[in-house]
Amino acid sequence: MSHIPISNSNPPKQTDGNGKANIANILEDKLDPKVSIDMEAPEFKDFAKTMVDFIAEYLENIRERRVLPEVKPGYLKPLIPDAAPEKPEKWQDVMQDIERVIMPGVTHWHSPKFHAYFPTANSYPAIVADMLSGAIACIGFTWIASPACTELEVVMMDWLGKMLELPAEFLACSGGKGGGVIQGTASESTLVALLGAKAKKVKEVKELHPEWDEHTILGKLVGYCSDQAHSSVERAGLLGGVKLRSVQSENHRMRGAALEKAIEQDLAEGLIPFYAVVTLGTTNSCAFDFLDECGPVGNKHNVWVHVDAAYAGSAFICPEYRHLMKGIESADSFNFNPHKWMLVNFDCSAMWLKDPSWVVNAFNVDPLYLKHDMQGSAPDYRHWQIPLGRRFRALKLWFVLRLYGVENLQAHIRRHCNFAKQFGDLCLADSRFELAAEINMGLVCFRLKGSNERNEALLKRINGRGHIHLVPAKIKDVYFLRMAICSRFTQSEDMEYSWKEVSAAADEMEQEQ
Ligand SMILES: N[C@@H](Cc1c[nH]c2ccc(O)cc12)C(=O)O
């Protein structure tokens, strides 16, 4: 491509006297058809190879970078021009600008010094798969829009479901109604399940009470989640236009009896329970609701049970953690994010439905341009999700599952859990600290013994030092720090480093007292 003058782009256009461009002149001013405006393949190969080298260098040495940037809001604008260039630039110049413009403002999520939120995944096989997805660049809304996009997704969701030992009813290969779909995020899955549950309940109630209009029914619907559920569950209720009730957890976990009590109270008030979200691995403390209690309660009251295992679900590929999803057979839908903890880059949120027809029919619009002759023989995933467009995300799963193998993915999970235990032990060996919750998976919730204010000051100091990055949480007015193990590059020495940072910040605070 580059540096070919594009003849029509620059000469001043004659105007018609009113400041408007003269159409005849513009039409005369055509592109030379022999001149390509595209980057050609040889140049693409050089550019892409340089980028691959940059990526490998960036990731392998990520530990050396300051995990949290020091820039202030607005830092970037002065570093680049105010408008897009008229003439093409060199890719080498763009490469140069990555360190100058972008890197100073990057929070390095894949650094072993990053311990905030929960992990987001990153692996070379997934990055390469995304390159291929970018090249095929199909929009797989229907089967015919790119059969491989749909069919690989169906099979990958079966592979993944088998890795977790999901009940056969969730899998397409069982030959029943069930199957899996890749959504963008767990929040989307929660909303999709809620909308399916809502459609199902409205239909049931209409059959029982043909005299009730839809508005009356919708006003009576009520859903449930634990008081520890992610805020996206509450948001799904708002987006879906239904009431959601939060159920008090016990030791951070929702119990069946509390859920049942809430349902019965609502029934007594004439409300219509329709949906319950059971969280396996909460954001605050990675607590697990009792699915084996809550699921059967939901089933008994004909309430759709959705399981949100966004982070912790990846651990169910390890048999030793599967007891935490006991009761899974009672769920109507199940979701976890391989893009959090299973080495598949964002976005890849795996959702299974026992009976997708509720979701499919709830969203069904069928314009002529989206119809095709094979309808009904394979899923048209546009009906399973909120947007119409969808990328070829199954490629990332396929590459990661094949190039790691289940064994190495299990090893990744186990390593992170062990690092969390290592950090927890370091913490407990220092009498100034205590754990704020039991250590679950790759998360340690800890705090300085004493007031919330002391812990707020500690976190500020840790993040201010800039060597590691953590975020806090609060449960029942107790403020604590969350140490999430996030990077696939983490080694045991990194945990020692992170602990030293925490204890050095505590030392500083003591010295100032
Ligand atoms: N980033 C998440 C938000 C989310 C939804 N459900 C969760 C459960 C636990 C957790 O730690 C985060 C979430 C998403 O995929 O939408």
Side-chain angles (χ1 to χ4, degrees), residues 118 185-188 230 232 279 281-283 308 310-311 337 339-340:
F118 271 135
T185 64
S187 328
E188 253 172 86
H230 191 266
S232 56
T279 307
T282 60
T283 313
D308 178 356
Y311 162 67
N337 291 348
H339 71 232
K340 274 192 158 73

Side-chain angles (χ1 to χ4, degrees), residues 117-118 184-190 228-233 277 279-284 286 308-312 335-337 339-340 346 349 482:
Y117 321 110
F118 271 135
T185 64
S187 328
E188 253 172 86
S189 303
T190 304
Q228 292 298 304
H230 191 266
S231 56
S232 56
V233 180
V277 177
T279 307
L280 299 183
T282 60
T283 313
N284 281 338
C286 199
D308 178 356
Y311 162 67
N335 168 241
F336 85 100
N337 291 348
H339 71 232
K340 274 192 158 73
F346 189 84
S349 184
R482 293 170 75 266

